[in-house]
Amino acid sequence: MPNLLLELRSEEIPARMQRKAAGDLKKLVTDALVEAGLSYEGAREYWTPRRLALDIHGLTARSADVREERKGPRTDANEKAIEGFLRGAGLSSVSEAQVVSDPKKGDFYVAVISKPGRATEEIVSDVMPGIIRDFPWPKSMRWGKASSKPGALRWVRPLQSIVCTFGPEHEETTVIPFEIDGITASNITYGHRFHAPEAITVRRFDDYAANLEKAKVILDAERRKDIILHDARDIAFANGLELVEDEGLLEEVSGLVEWPQVLMGSFEEDYLSIPSEIIRLTIKTNQKCFVTRPQGGETLSNKFILVSNIQASDGGKEIVHGNGKVVRARLSDALHFWKRDQGNLPDLETLEASAAKFGLDLKKPLDQRMAKLDALDVTFHAKLGTQGARVARIRTLAKELADITGADAALIDRAAVLAKADLRTEAVGEFPELQGLMGRKYAVLQGEDASVAAAIEDHYKPQGPSDRVPEDRVAITIALADKLDTLIGFWAIDEKPTGSKDPFALRRAALGVVRILLEQRIRLPLLATTKDGDLLSFFHDRLKVYLRDQGARHDLIDAVLTSDADDLLMVARRVEALTAFITSEDGKNLLSGTKRATQLLAAEEKKGTVIADSVSPALLKLDAEKELFAAISSASKDASNAVAGEDFRSAMEALSKLRGPVDRFFEDVLVNDEDAAIRANRLALLRLIREATGTVADFSKISG
């Protein structure tokens, strides 16, 4: 079957857009072809800085003929109904329609619509201009003389050429020469901008990829990544070092080069006095280079890895020299930030009021920055006030949480007032992603307690599902206070997440609270803390997500989670115990019996059947119902005591003793006895089953 090769070649596409754009091209083209009646065996997308390519193999050469019968109105219908039918069917008069007789409904019109199949070349030629013109780039531009005309083509960067060939795997291919804004598709492409600028004639994907590689273009992005990674590891190892790997940077760099050449540069060792995190970010952000460290070491070396797109005749010496000059200039700036942040601010006298408000020591640099943050009235959110006001709220909330977390109150207070201080440092101003981490370093330098320093960095954690949670009790307290203040504040001003939109990362904050409480086994009454039932429901949603990710069944979570449950650790422990119980043989059988009891009871309640207020032992006539009553009385008491002691496994074990009596009850006892009093008493007995099991979970919500 034939294959289709498509290439859209342009000026350099931003690296961050390439992977998605290639995926969008694949989806748009294959969807359009399928919608037009074609089928294909497989498709794969490719991308480099200067091209998006698509290889579709096993594509049918022609769409199938289509015959459709469209039923219309009766022949004696009003004129407007008939006209609408003709218009919809594409007929000019009723003479073009067939008349079909129905013994019951009479005569009615039927339009027979035949659509002959179309050649794949024709379909591709039709759909491609629209796909290119409406391509979903995040940002696009117009260029050249045509840009002033209405409807001019927009593309991420100037589009230069299009390749579109179609044909069998081992025979000649043809060009599908569609045109858009003066660019006509052909079988001509170009290789590396500098190493191989000559035209290349291609037929199908195999020779296209091979010819590009000869022309110094590696088409497969994953292969470019692999080359960069392994060459970087090898050159580092050869110099007695190891590469500090960075998947995000690797993805970006592979999108900057078509012919990756890995080189090593260096900078003066004096710059290693700068924290490693600043060095790494400086080199990564400004020069897209990797850093290295001694093998098995923690601190960085003064060697960095760069990736060039040019195979230079001098072995890359000039490229390394040029990159080194820029890296040294940027590190010089970083060293300046690092030193200035450890010095005094010039206007200390203006900070005394803020210092007094937060109990700050203006002899210490980090304290000065916190006072400056407050004195400048830096806005946190227009409706939630300044950063200073927020720190004051976190301070108060952290103090309230101290009894729950067991952290030292004085250390909590100190950590709370310094937690946001590094927002006014020059290092964080240059690299916002270092907030917290730089605060910790500056705190250590000015002699803060280790727990305070840890809390300054870790109160932002966890930032996502794979990030660690704080471990120090002071850090845990500040992290909870920070996230709870954010959630309480945004709920108060009705700025809640909607659909997929969550501009203030409130879902992440709530999941962070959930993870801290569960993973550090902290019992926090959320409703009493937040005083908002709707916010508690939001926490429940995050808890469900977390527990499901941990492998818990959704029905078991629903069976345990009540609308007013605000101790999330207890909910998780109940789910854990219920999971273990319900997968045991006793649990499975008790579930079956309990569901039968609750379903029968619910049906009778719905009908309005009289149910006794309590079970009367005198009305228990059969041994099976007497045995069940005794078992429920014992199990219910034991389960309640176990729940009160938060021993949920023991509560489940107590309930498991009901398995035999419940089974025998349903084997030997007719609930709907003819005697109304006995029936009402037996239904009350079923209600006791529901109440007993309800001490640990709502068994009616458990599937199976």
Side-chain angles (χ1 to χ4, degrees), residues 291-323:
V291 293
T292 64
R293 60 190 167 213
Q295 292 178 9
E298 292 293 328
T299 58
L300 299 183
S301 80
N302 68 323
K303 308 288 187 183
F304 62 91
I305 303 288
L306 64 100
V307 182
S308 170
N309 192 37
I310 299 173
Q311 190 172 335
S313 58
D314 65 353
K317 290 181 181 178
E318 281 301 314
I319 296 172
V320 169
H321 177 70
N323 276 267

Side-chain angles (χ1 to χ4, degrees), residues 48-69:
T48 80
R50 299 178 62 220
R51 64 199 81 222
L52 302 178
L54 184 59
D55 171 33
I56 302 178
H57 55 272
L59 185 62
T60 47
R62 187 178 183 84
S63 63
D65 296 339
V66 176
R67 186 179 186 278
E68 174 191 356
E69 291 189 0

Side-chain angles (χ1 to χ4, degrees), residues 155-185:
W155 198 247
V156 63
R157 294 292 185 271
L159 188 62
Q160 296 176 327
S161 68
I162 301 172
V163 168
C164 189
T165 65
F166 179 69
E169 188 173 354
H170 301 295
E171 299 175 20
E172 282 304 312
T173 58
T174 60
V175 172
I176 303 178
F178 62 86
E179 185 269 341
I180 180 167
D181 271 31
I183 303 173
T184 302

Side-chain angles (χ1 to χ4, degrees), residues 452-473:
V452 172
I456 294 172
E457 178 180 4
D458 289 356
H459 82 280
Y460 289 106
K461 297 183 178 299
Q463 295 277 21
S466 60
D467 193 17
R468 66 177 177 84
V469 300
E471 296 181 357
D472 182 278
R473 288 283 145 178

Side-chain angles (χ1 to χ4, degrees), residues 255-321:
L256 297 174
V257 296
E258 292 192 317
W259 191 248
Q261 303 296 306
V262 178
L263 304 167
M264 176 173 278
S266 64
F267 54 85
E268 287 75 15
E269 291 189 356
D270 290 349
Y271 289 122
L272 294 177
S273 63
I274 307 169
S276 295
E277 296 85 357
I278 295 182
I279 294 174
R280 184 176 179 180
L281 268 176
T282 298
I283 293 176
K284 171 183 176 178
T285 304
N286 294 294
Q287 284 305 100
K288 313 303 179 192
C289 294
F290 298 85
V291 293
T292 64
R293 60 190 167 213
Q295 292 178 9
E298 292 293 328
T299 58
L300 299 183
S301 80
N302 68 323
K303 308 288 187 183
F304 62 91
I305 303 288
L306 64 100
V307 182
S308 170
N309 192 37
I310 299 173
Q311 190 172 335
S313 58
D314 65 353
K317 290 181 181 178
E318 281 301 314
I319 296 172
V320 169
H321 177 70

